[in-house]
Amino acid sequence: MIRQPGSDDSTPTPEELRARVEGTREELGMEVEEAAGKTADVKEQAQAKAAELKETAQAKGAELKAQAQVKGAELKGQAQTRAAGAKAQAQVKAAEVLERTPQPVREKAYQVGEPARTNVKPLIGFGLAVLAVCVVVSRAGRR
């Protein structure tokens, strides 16, 4: 049998095989380039999304920080107002007690308190001791 080039029922010639292989290589090369392009696009999209999320998180953090500062200033003002009110009430009550206290009792209280006013260190020590006892008692009560 003699082979005739280009006939459909015969086996392909080496040139035809080479041409087919070359065509297949070109197709595969294009497919690889296309897949690489898609991969690069996905990577770029992921980076863009990450940058967007980072920016959103930073903005939200700044917003929350500002809100916390405003709320802190508000609470500080409220605390100062309440403290001033409590101080005023204590002064009023002290004045009332002083008015009702008989003169001899006031004089005796002044005499008893005079050493404490002149020597404050022992009084502070006593106050710290009382505070320490209160702390110990309160912690023991929680257990």
Side-chain angles (χ1 to χ4, degrees):
M1 260 198 202
I2 300 175
R3 288 189 217 167
Q4 298 203 351
S7 65
D8 289 338
D9 59 351
S10 66
T11 24
T13 65
E15 291 82 28
E16 290 175 336
L17 288 174
R18 282 187 192 107
R20 286 185 190 172
V21 168
E22 189 59 37
T24 303
R25 282 183 184 159
E26 287 179 16
E27 287 177 23
L28 285 175
M30 286 189 277
E31 288 178 9
V32 167
E33 285 179 19
E34 185 180 320
K38 288 181 181 178
T39 303
D41 288 346
V42 169
K43 184 178 178 182
E44 288 174 9
Q45 289 174 359
Q47 288 175 341
K49 186 67 173 177
E52 179 184 330
L53 290 174
K54 181 180 176 183
E55 186 177 308
T56 302
Q58 288 175 337
K60 189 65 172 175
E63 179 183 337
L64 291 174
K65 182 180 177 182
Q67 288 176 354
Q69 288 174 337
V70 168
K71 190 65 172 177
E74 181 181 313
L75 292 175
K76 182 180 177 183
Q78 289 176 357
Q80 288 174 338
T81 302
R82 288 181 181 168
K87 181 180 178 182
Q89 284 179 346
Q91 289 173 340
V92 167
K93 290 291 183 186
E96 289 175 5
V97 169
L98 190 60
E99 277 182 30
R100 291 187 213 154
T101 306
Q103 186 64 29
V105 173
R106 279 192 264 169
E107 290 173 4
K108 189 65 175 173
Y110 183 79
Q111 291 171 356
V112 169
E114 185 61 30
R117 284 189 291 277
T118 58
N119 196 2
V120 176
K121 288 181 183 178
L123 185 61
I124 291 174
F126 178 74
L128 290 175
V130 170
L131 178 64
V133 169
C134 290
V135 169
V136 170
V137 169
S138 70
R139 284 191 179 176
R142 287 187 212 160
R143 293 182 184 171

